[in-house]
Amino acid sequence: MPEDVLSGDIPESDSELRIAYSKLLQEYDKVKSKKDDLVDAVYRAVLDSTATSQLDKVKAPPYVSSKTSSDEVAVAVIADWQLAKVTPDYNSQVCEDRIEQYAQKIVDLTNIQRADHPVNTIHVWALGDIVEGELIFPGQSFLIDGGLYRQVTVDGPRILKNFLTKLLENFDKVHFTGVIGNHGALGGRSRRDHDPETNADRMLYRIVQWMFENEKRITFDIPDGRGEKHWFAVPKIGNYKSLLCHGDQFGGLSSFFSFQKKVYGWKIGALGEDFDDVYIGHWHTPTKMTFNTIQVRVSGSPESTNTYAMESLAAVGRPSQPLMFVHPEKGIVTAEYNCWLD
């Protein structure tokens, strides 16, 4: 018969065994209670310390127009910031400066549109690789100026928060949709031991969403769910729908066939959602492909002077992020811009 774990005595009868069992249950309840108290204390400490970090409401712009049939919606696309990546003329500070410049260009170009028709709402489509990561390819640790912690919880939230605040100061409503990129994957190159849902881009989006919890003029759509990658989204702007994904789902820009095959497959039912156009990042090169009635648009990147692309792909690009305007009732894109950031 096993010994009493509290006293060390060996019970000699059923009654002594029941007494020992009762003592053990009492001690367990004490330990459990202490553990629950500790957990509650941790939760309270976290809530108390973070409650003051949420942002105050942003003052709405004074020139919001009443809704008319001519209203259009702005769409700002952010993609491939590769935050913390270091090249001869790019790093975290340059990224932040260029995103500030991009926000101002959005405001300036929108005001040009407003001379003809109201533009009160903006959608922000985040296409992933907002962070650079730190174990995505061999030697990456020598090419970054901040680890994943700083990318996701320090620099990333600050830059994205400032960007969205600028938009809230100039638009009545902001809608954010964020999909993940391959650089947000955790666990190094094998990436076998992490939940497919786990992605640093998604973590960054969620942190920023929480920062704007008290701001009712901004909404967030961040696809997620346990055990799945959740790699795409289909935001709707009135009668217009665009499929968003990062772009690493395709083979390469050297062949249109890989794009055409997947886009047609998705369009005829593979995704279970209909869409009019497709917007992707990943390739850092502003590009447009037309497959019958479907436009596949590729976003640029604020990064510059990628020496790997120069050597291996003989490719170089100017830093940029796109902006377009959509007529919700007609369901069409009415204007498009590449906002050059150099």
Side-chain angles (χ1 to χ4, degrees):
M1 188 174 291
E3 66 179 30
D4 187 324
V5 295
L6 299 177
S7 66
D9 298 332
I10 298 177
E12 296 180 353
S13 65
D14 289 344
S15 61
E16 290 181 354
L17 183 60
R18 284 195 292 271
I19 292 172
Y21 177 67
S22 178
K23 289 180 180 178
L24 189 61
L25 284 179
Q26 292 174 5
E27 292 300 319
Y28 170 75
D29 286 340
K30 291 179 182 178
V31 173
K32 182 177 182 298
S33 177
K34 289 180 180 178
K35 182 178 180 182
D36 290 343
D37 289 344
L38 178 60
V39 171
D40 289 341
V42 171
Y43 275 116
R44 285 195 301 271
V46 171
L47 289 173
D48 291 344
S49 64
T50 56
T52 57
S53 300
Q54 292 176 340
L55 301 172
D56 294 331
K57 290 184 178 179
V58 181
K59 187 177 180 180
Y63 45 78
V64 175
S65 305
S66 58
K67 182 173 176 56
T68 70
S69 60
S70 63
D71 273 24
E72 292 190 5
V73 174
V75 180
V77 180
I78 60 175
D80 299 284
W81 291 3
Q82 315 294 148
L83 180 60
K85 184 169 185 178
V86 174
T87 77
D89 58 7
Y90 189 72
N91 54 41
S92 292
Q93 184 58 59
V94 173
C95 175
E96 185 164 10
D97 294 342
R98 287 176 178 172
I99 298 308
E100 289 178 0
Q101 183 184 2
Y102 175 48
Q104 186 59 53
K105 285 178 178 286
I106 291 170
V107 174
D108 293 342
L109 289 168
T110 300
N111 286 336
I112 293 173
Q113 295 286 320
R114 284 173 173 154
D116 180 72
H117 51 264
V119 184
N120 296 323
T121 299
I122 187 167
H123 280 238
V124 177
W125 293 349
L127 303 182
D129 278 10
I130 303 302
V131 301
E132 170 67 5
E134 57 184 22
L135 294 172
I136 304 301
F137 56 85
Q140 187 180 23
S141 59
F142 298 99
L143 301 173
I144 57 176
D145 60 14
L148 198 59
Y149 155 74
R150 183 161 296 279
Q151 297 170 37
V152 173
T153 69
V154 181
D155 295 335
R158 182 186 68 254
I159 298 171
L160 187 52
K161 180 264 294 183
N162 290 341
F163 176 76
L164 295 175
T165 299
K166 179 76 170 182
L167 299 185
L168 282 166
E169 291 170 347
N170 290 274
F171 293 86
D172 183 46
K173 294 181 181 179
V174 178
H175 299 283
F176 180 97
T177 303
V179 297
I180 59 175
N182 58 297
H183 276 254
L186 304 186
R189 293 178 292 281
S190 61
R191 305 169 195 167
R192 296 189 182 114
D193 294 331
H194 285 273
D195 187 322
E197 181 190 29
T198 302
N199 187 281
D201 284 323
R202 184 177 282 128
M203 294 175 187
L204 171 58
Y205 302 155
R206 285 295 179 197
I207 290 172
V208 174
Q209 178 184 17
W210 178 84
M211 295 173 74
F212 284 97
E213 192 173 50
N214 294 327
E215 178 54 71
K216 304 306 180 185
R217 294 191 296 116
I218 185 170
T219 58
F220 288 80
D221 177 18
I222 306 167
D224 63 2
R226 184 75 168 85
E228 295 291 341
K229 190 176 179 182
H230 298 281
W231 53 273
F232 74 93
V234 184
K236 300 174 179 61
I237 303 176
N239 295 317
Y240 181 75
K241 302 179 293 295
S242 183
L243 168 64
L244 310 184
C245 61
H246 178 58
D248 55 321
Q249 293 77 16
F250 300 98
L253 279 177
S254 60
S255 171
F256 280 7
F257 176 73
S258 63
F259 288 85
Q260 185 181 53
K261 182 176 183 293
K262 283 202 170 181
V263 169
Y264 282 169
W266 292 336
K267 178 67 175 177
I268 64 175
L271 288 184
E273 291 195 55
D274 190 26
F275 56 87
D276 300 303
D277 292 328
V278 179
Y279 225 126
I280 64 174
H282 188 61
W283 304 103
H284 296 210
T285 304
T287 305
K288 186 189 296 183
M289 292 168 273
T290 303
F291 303 126
N292 292 336
T293 60
I294 302 173
Q295 294 274 350
V296 178
R297 295 176 172 88
V298 185
S299 171
S301 164
E303 180 200 342
S304 57
T305 316
N306 185 319
T307 53
Y308 169 81
M310 294 168 62
E311 179 181 3
S312 302
L313 306 175
V316 65
R318 293 177 61 190
S320 69
Q321 297 279 258
L323 173 68
M324 65 183 191
F325 294 86
V326 172
H327 196 294
E329 293 186 7
K330 295 179 181 178
I332 59 172
V333 175
T334 59
E336 299 179 67
Y337 300 89
N338 274 324
C339 298
W340 304 111
L341 305 177
D342 56 353

